[in-house]
Amino acid sequence: MTTPDKKADFSDVNVNVDTTAQKVEKADFSDVSVNVDTTAEKVGEQTYTVEKGDTLSHIAKQFYGKSSKWNAIFEANRDQLDDPDKIQPGQILKIPAAND
């Protein structure tokens, strides 16, 4: 003999959802200080390995903060670069100090 399927009765179940977002205090970073100092101007010549999509302007912006200084990188690498628009991934370029 088979009994008909009886559906579960949840009519007496109460639901209370509480989020921890209301109970967590926000982190206080007011006493944190940050000092970022670049070594580009304090260290002599550095090197950079060209990655796909790089340009001398992009590299100059990264090291000097100005894309217009691309020519300094080009001149420092004349031994391996004939055209500033033809750098290749994997090339190791000399990055002259910012004050050069």
Side-chain angles (χ1 to χ4, degrees), residues 16-81:
N16 185 13
V17 177
D18 195 7
T19 177
T20 59
Q22 296 170 349
K23 296 180 180 181
V24 176
E25 292 183 31
K26 292 184 178 180
D28 180 12
F29 294 106
S30 62
D31 62 341
V32 175
S33 63
V34 176
N35 184 15
V36 178
D37 199 3
T38 179
T39 58
E41 295 179 20
K42 297 180 180 182
V43 178
E45 186 175 278
Q46 299 178 61
T47 60
Y48 176 79
T49 303
V50 177
E51 296 178 5
K52 184 177 179 178
D54 276 343
T55 64
L56 290 181
S57 293
H58 169 83
I59 298 167
K61 175 94 172 154
Q62 181 178 339
F63 281 92
Y64 306 125
K66 296 180 180 181
S67 59
S68 61
K69 299 229 1 156
W70 67 268
N71 197 41
I73 299 171
F74 178 65
E75 291 301 324
N77 291 280
R78 291 295 294 222
D79 59 326
Q80 62 176 329
L81 297 177

